[in-house]
Amino acid sequence: LLQGVGATLGLSATWAATGISEIVEENMANAARVHAVERGKALRECTMIAFGGAAPLHAARLAAKLGITHIVVPAGAGVGSAIGFLRAPMAFEVVRSDAGRLSGVELAPRNARLKQMEDEARAVVAPAAQAAGQANASLQVTRLAELRYEGQGHELRVPLSAGPLDEAAVQRLLADFETAYERAYGLHIPGAAVEVVTWSVTVATPPLPGAVAQLLSAGAAAAPIGQREVWEPALGQTLNFHLHWRFDLPPGATLPGPALVLEHETSTLVPAGWQARVDNQQHLHLHLQDSSK
């Protein structure tokens, strides 16, 4: 394929691959710039977290385009979604549509419906929680209402306070909606009618505690297990990249670029001018050492 693309354009396979990679990375960079502008964020002040099978290969080049100087490649980045799925709380959500003005909601029927929804969700989650050694009493209940100004086509999900739904809870829900609306759109509409579209109840097991990652003092440079010639598009030449097996790297180990960190599901590219360091949770931290690279 690359030879065909290169022959058509009068390029070598190497430059054809470089062009394809450049287009992919520039498209990602443009999307990041748009999101940053929409949210009023300065990308140079951000840390990039690279996860997914291809992300650790593209991360450094993408960071260079965006002016980002710090990248974190989590342990298991290539299968991060699977790890997240396995560690995620067991949960079940029950949603009921019941459109109408918030000011006109009938409290007794609504409380009865919310209790019925919670019981339905508990009946699904409780057996799984018990099988996992988590008592039914530890289950967490989250209740939400989807609200909008009357006549609008988009809703905001707003949490319900604990306890029975009464007039005071309805007023808190209204105030929380207007706060959320102003946070999302920069304004709220005083006096406009607010309507409820749906109600939801989610029952879930408590989330598993996370381990705190700490970047240790830099240790000795890790010994490579080999080297490989890799085309470095930023320099327009082939360099010898040191090869490292990620699971052999101790916490605190440093890896000066150019280097490739290999693992089962992906590889992390550490270009010339960058340095990687391993933290206490086996996450890789890439830092730009030379801004000219």
Side-chain angles (χ1 to χ4, degrees):
L1 174 62
L2 291 175
Q3 290 178 344
V5 172
T8 302
L9 299 175
L11 300 172
S12 67
T14 297
W15 277 112
T18 299
I20 293 171
S21 181
E22 180 71 15
I23 291 171
V24 169
E25 290 160 356
E26 190 59 39
N27 283 339
M28 290 189 289
N30 283 335
R33 294 184 189 107
V34 169
H35 287 301
V37 169
E38 289 176 343
R39 291 161 176 76
K41 303 295 184 180
L43 287 173
R44 290 178 179 272
E45 300 173 0
C46 297
T47 293
M48 178 183 293
I49 300 178
F51 57 93
L57 282 170
H58 293 282
R61 286 284 294 159
L62 180 59
K65 291 176 178 294
L66 298 174
I68 294 173
T69 60
H70 182 209
I71 303 167
V72 176
V73 182
V79 289
S81 295
I83 293 173
F85 174 79
L86 293 172
R87 288 185 56 86
M90 292 176 284
F92 190 80
E93 181 183 23
V94 178
V95 180
R96 295 286 185 269
S97 297
D98 190 7
R101 284 193 176 187
L102 181 61
S103 60
V105 65
E106 297 183 16
L107 298 179
R110 174 47 46 202
N111 280 315
R113 179 70 66 86
L114 289 171
K115 179 62 168 60
Q116 181 186 38
M117 293 164 66
E118 181 179 335
D119 291 343
E120 182 179 342
R122 281 185 180 274
V124 175
V125 178
Q130 290 175 351
Q134 295 177 291
N136 186 48
S138 67
L139 298 181
Q140 298 178 347
V141 179
T142 303
R143 307 187 306 172
L144 300 169
E146 290 193 341
L147 305 171
R148 65 188 181 191
Y149 284 117
E150 194 171 43
Q152 291 185 329
H154 182 71
E155 303 83 39
L156 294 177
R157 305 191 87 192
V158 182
L160 286 171
S161 56
L165 191 66
D166 55 19
E167 290 296 341
V170 170
Q171 291 304 311
R172 286 195 298 272
L173 184 60
L174 173 61
D176 290 343
F177 164 74
E178 292 189 328
T179 299
Y181 194 93
E182 188 164 8
R183 184 167 55 246
Y185 301 109
L187 77 162
H188 67 276
I189 308 174
V194 175
E195 60 182 2
V196 183
V197 180
T198 60
W199 305 81
S200 76
V201 177
T202 300
V203 175
T205 58
L208 296 175
V212 177
Q214 294 180 333
L215 190 57
L216 308 176
S217 300
I225 60 173
Q227 63 181 24
R228 181 182 301 167
E229 288 190 347
V230 177
W231 176 255
E232 175 52 82
L235 301 177
Q237 64 187 58
T238 299
L239 299 178
N240 285 322
F241 275 58
H242 289 152
L243 303 180
H244 300 270
W245 185 241
R246 183 163 183 171
F247 304 102
D248 292 339
L249 298 173
T254 59
L255 296 79
L260 282 171
V261 184
L262 312 177
E263 53 187 296
H264 296 295
E265 304 90 9
T266 188
S267 297
T268 300
L269 176 70
V270 185
W274 288 73
Q275 183 183 81
R277 196 191 312 176
V278 186
D279 71 16
N280 67 324
Q281 298 297 325
Q282 296 297 315
H283 307 316
L284 287 176
H285 294 249
L286 277 63
H287 293 273
L288 180 62
Q289 301 295 299
D290 184 351
S291 60
S292 67
K293 299 295 184 182

